[in-house]
Amino acid sequence: MQHLISMDDLTISQINDILDDANRFKKAKTNPALLRGKLLFTLFFENSTRTRSSFEVAAKKLGASVIHLDPSKSSTSKGESVEDTFANICAMDPDGVIIRHSSNDIPRILADMQTTPVLNAGAGNYAHPTQALLDLFTIKEHFGDTSGKRVAIVGDIANSRVANSIMALFPRFGIELTLVAPDGFMPTEDKFKKVDNLAEIIDSIDVIISLRAQLERHEKPVFDDYEEYASHYCITNEVIGNRDVVLMHPGPVMRNIDISDEMLSDKRSKVLTQVTNGVFVRMAILKLLLLDS
Ligand code: NCD
């Protein structure tokens, strides 16, 4: 049984299959009903706009049925453990469960029960593999090849599950990462080049991935004044100038803190392309987990 909890769960060849299938799904005029008769549950313990609906659209495009369980209205709010809620869902014989949780460990714990394929749609600050895969797809689609591309991640890297999954995925595809963040947002690991100022490297990068401050994960406020933070880290026209740089963000974008209004609607911004691509990448991931494994 194949799960997708962190990037380590996928081989390079599986990731290449996902990218190829996503490309085929994007180009196709009609969707094959590959998952007709399949049943998926989504179990989101944290808010979501893009990821939950993207999984649902992806599943439905391939002919699967999707049931949403709203944890705030389910028995977890009466004290049932997540494991028990999951076991009860599994007793209805689904073909997969898509879960988002504030705990880093819950998706892996549920996967280890080996009852149904588990897809991590965001776990604490630990991993968000489908977001990293759709980001990789978007870069590959734009450049044709990922090898040798230079990507700067800017923002709250230390608390970002998206950044963690990107750091685990992109180097496997020849992408060179630079981390751009102030002290409170810089992770402790030493695998990548780190700078506290985007201007230092702006002339030598191909892609900027901007990230939101993960306020819900800060035990105490990291900055009192996000206007001051924005004056250094917001991606604006002044920072980018007329450089040929691709601008990305997983959303939700904090306008004029992460990215300026102007840059968000600039043709170099791929923020909505990422959302479009997310559906095709998740179709490919569902195909891999539910059919090919
Ligand atoms: C991210 C998440 O939830 O981890 N959003 C997403 O899934 N598109 C990033 C974030 O919340 O900042």
Side-chain angles (χ1 to χ4, degrees), residues 130-194:
T130 64
Q131 180 68 45
L133 286 164
L134 76 89
D135 292 343
L136 182 71
F137 178 87
T138 303
I139 292 171
K140 187 165 180 212
E141 177 178 60
H142 181 84
F143 293 103
D145 186 15
T146 56
S147 189
K149 292 291 164 285
R150 293 157 304 179
V151 174
I153 311 180
V154 182
D156 188 0
I157 302 166
N159 298 292
S160 167
R161 54 197 177 203
V162 176
N164 263 343
S165 288
I166 287 174
M167 291 189 281
L169 175 66
F170 282 20
R172 291 167 79 186
F173 286 80
I175 295 176
E176 193 187 298
L177 289 175
T178 303
L179 313 184
V180 184
D183 271 352
F185 284 173
M186 190 61 95
T188 47
E189 57 82 16
D190 281 321
K191 275 193 274 175
F192 305 104
K193 179 173 171 188
K194 296 176 176 178

Side-chain angles (χ1 to χ4, degrees), residues 50-51 100 128 131 161-162 212 214 250-252:
R50 281 151 288 270
T51 307
R100 167 170 287 193
H128 191 351
Q131 180 68 45
R161 54 197 177 203
V162 176
R212 169 183 77 92
Q214 304 284 301

Side-chain angles (χ1 to χ4, degrees), residues 44 46-52 100 121-124 127-128 130-131 134 159-163 210-217 249-254 258 275 282:
F44 276 58
E46 281 190 342
N47 296 340
S48 172
T49 301
R50 281 151 288 270
T51 307
R52 196 187 102 170
R100 167 170 287 193
H128 191 351
T130 64
Q131 180 68 45
L134 76 89
N159 298 292
S160 167
R161 54 197 177 203
V162 176
S210 168
L211 298 173
R212 169 183 77 92
Q214 304 284 301
L215 301 177
E216 69 275 37
R217 287 180 235 293
H249 192 301
V253 178
M254 301 295 104
D258 304 342
V275 178
R282 292 187 173 102

